[in-house]
Amino acid sequence: MHDTPAIQHQHDQVRALRWSEEGLYILDQRLLPEAIQYHLCTQASQVAEAIRTMQVRGAPAIGIAAAYGVVLAARQCWQDHGNQWKQFIKTEIECLAHSRPTAVNLFWALNRMAELIEVLEEDPVARLLKEAKAIHLEDIAANRKMGALGAQTIGTVQGVLTHCNTGSLATGGYGTALGVIRSLKQQGNFTQDEIQVYATETRPWLQGARLTLWELEQDRIPATLIADSAAAFLMQQGRIQWVIVGADRIAANGDVANKIGTYSLAVSARQHGLGFMVVAPTSTIDRNLPQGGLIPIEEREDKELLPEYYRRSDSLAKAWNPVFDITPAELITALVTERGVIPKPDPASLKKLLQDV
Ligand code: MRU
């Protein structure tokens, strides 16, 4: 399996996505940490299915996978229909767009590919592949920049808490919130050598327990797992100074949609006078959405949550399984993007940040 030469592993070992001539290899995150298995996708519909079933997840990684999915669609449409390829690719893009609703990076990447398709004529595959690889590389570069900016904003710290998985597995590489933690570690910004990175379990899908701990271990970064319900007590004990999270969509007023439980962490951080940092590339900002209440929140099947015992037709027990929540902008101490840090995000500061984008 070949990797794009420029997409090297200089600072982190793990890659969720690898392009090769055969197609897109996706690391199946449902199987981690027990098994490391890449599945080859040769069709856009397979990429859509991999996103829907969370073989690949995390807002930026979903966007990158979808961009490569468009390349696969173009390859098929060009092969089957020649010069008529554009008439057929729209349905494939629609299929990718319906894979998951909340992370705006998916629609951002598809729009970028669709705008390029508008101006392409003859054999489109090479040009679209170049664009997908650019999206992938730009994401890693943005993460490295945000890592440095976030670490600079935090300075010296004893302990931090992160939620869900926002690392190499959730992005093109390096990570958003986890990228800031990598940068803090590289710069020796921790006040002691003991374990100071705390990761929430992130129920019900266990992104923290299964994915964050695993990818940090690949890079020899020690981390301590806590139950989601232990977070407020951790704060009360004075063990952390910052909560650092990623985002799936940020509204124009700075409200943030992120993994369910993020809002509770922000409320608790405010109660304990701690910093609450959101780290996300500008591709996660939805400038057309005035406020967080308008962000579509995905609800997944209750079987992800409900114990087997209750999954009988005569059972009265049900589950409600929203997988994201909205953190109001007023609870955010710093929003870190690749274009700079906004201390207290609001409509004016976000508008200024997005000027010329
Ligand atoms: O349901 P998931 O695992 O796709 O949710 C992922 C998150 O909520 C992440 O925090 C977010 O995508 C930011 S990842 C850089």
Side-chain angles (χ1 to χ4, degrees):
M1 192 193 319
H2 305 288
D3 202 351
T4 314
I7 302 175
Q8 298 287 356
H9 310 167
Q10 283 162 358
H11 305 277
D12 51 321
Q13 298 300 311
V14 173
R15 287 292 176 269
L17 302 166
R18 291 169 191 269
W19 176 263
S20 88
E21 298 224 324
E22 300 151 282
L24 180 65
Y25 280 94
I26 295 183
L27 175 58
D28 191 340
Q29 299 191 27
R30 298 169 304 180
L31 307 179
L32 289 170
E34 278 83 17
I36 300 170
Q37 237 178 67
Y38 281 86
H39 298 305
L40 175 63
C41 297
T42 55
Q43 316 262 332
S45 58
Q46 293 169 332
V47 176
E49 182 65 3
I51 297 173
R52 193 186 66 72
T53 57
M54 292 178 68
Q55 295 171 46
V56 57
R57 32 65 51 200
I62 292 172
I64 297 163
Y68 284 121
V70 174
V71 179
L72 295 173
R75 191 159 82 178
Q76 193 70 52
C77 293
W78 176 254
Q79 199 177 302
D80 294 351
H81 309 285
N83 286 336
Q84 311 291 309
W85 67 278
K86 275 197 206 182
Q87 288 173 30
F88 295 89
I89 201 166
K90 286 199 172 89
T91 337
E92 306 276 330
I93 294 178
E94 279 289 299
C95 166
L96 287 161
H98 281 98
S99 52
R100 285 189 81 188
T102 304
V104 79
N105 309 59
L106 172 70
F107 310 104
W108 172 87
L110 289 175
N111 283 342
R112 183 161 152 180
M113 297 299 276
E115 275 172 23
L116 180 58
I117 286 171
E118 289 286 312
V119 298
L120 289 181
E121 286 305 334
E122 292 287 290
D123 186 354
V125 182
R127 181 63 192 92
L128 287 169
L129 178 57
K130 191 170 168 218
E131 196 67 9
K133 285 181 178 175
I135 290 174
H136 195 166
L137 286 172
E138 285 166 24
D139 185 64
I140 300 175
N143 291 338
R144 304 234 354 111
K145 183 86 194 290
M146 294 188 295
L149 288 173
Q152 199 179 58
T153 305
I154 289 175
T156 306
V157 66
Q158 271 180 317
V160 298
L161 173 66
T162 190
H163 187 50
C164 194
N165 170 267
T166 63
S168 311
L169 287 169
T171 63
Y174 201 71
T176 56
L178 220 53
V180 170
I181 291 172
R182 287 182 201 285
S183 297
L184 283 168
K185 280 277 181 189
Q186 277 156 19
Q187 292 169 22
N189 283 12
F190 286 79
T191 51
Q192 55 193 46
D193 287 334
E194 289 303 305
I195 300 165
Q196 309 95 355
V197 178
Y198 293 91
T200 56
E201 213 180 2
T202 319
R203 291 189 64 80
W205 214 73
L206 301 179
Q207 284 92 335
R210 295 193 303 104
L211 309 180
T212 299
L213 289 197
W214 179 76
E215 80 160 82
L216 287 178
E217 191 168 85
Q218 305 312 297
D219 294 328
R220 309 305 302 154
I221 298 175
T224 300
L225 183 67
I226 62 164
D228 296 328
S229 45
F233 188 49
L234 178 87
M235 296 179 193
Q236 196 182 47
Q237 296 246 312
R239 290 173 188 243
I240 59 159
Q241 291 74 46
W242 282 86
V243 177
I244 313 177
V245 298
D248 286 83
R249 195 186 293 224
I250 302 175
N253 70 344
D255 291 350
V256 166
N258 191 47
K259 181 51 53 194
I260 191 79
T262 303
Y263 176 38
S264 311
L265 292 174
V267 170
S268 298
R270 176 60 54 91
Q271 165 73 12
H272 295 92
L274 307 180
F276 189 85
M277 177 178 279
V278 176
V279 189
T282 43
S283 53
T284 305
I285 302 174
D286 189 347
R287 65 173 93 197
N288 300 319
L289 221 55
Q291 46 99 358
L294 299 168
I295 297 175
I297 297 293
E298 178 181 8
E299 291 184 17
R300 293 186 72 87
E301 292 166 306
D302 60 3
K303 73 171 187 217
E304 280 185 358
L305 198 57
L306 207 58
E308 180 88 47
Y309 173 82
Y310 302 106
R311 292 187 228 146
R312 325 175 303 263
S313 53
D314 65 337
S315 172
L316 297 179
K318 286 190 286 192
W320 178 54
N321 187 20
V323 298
F324 299 100
D325 61 23
I326 308 291
T327 299
E330 70 208 49
L331 294 177
I332 297 165
T333 318
L335 170 63
V336 178
T337 75
E338 79 283 11
R339 291 175 71 96
V341 180
I342 302 182
K344 283 188 169 85
D346 63 15
S349 56
L350 259 95
K351 196 169 173 198
K352 190 151 174 262
L353 181 88
L354 292 177
Q355 258 162 19
D356 331 309
V357 178

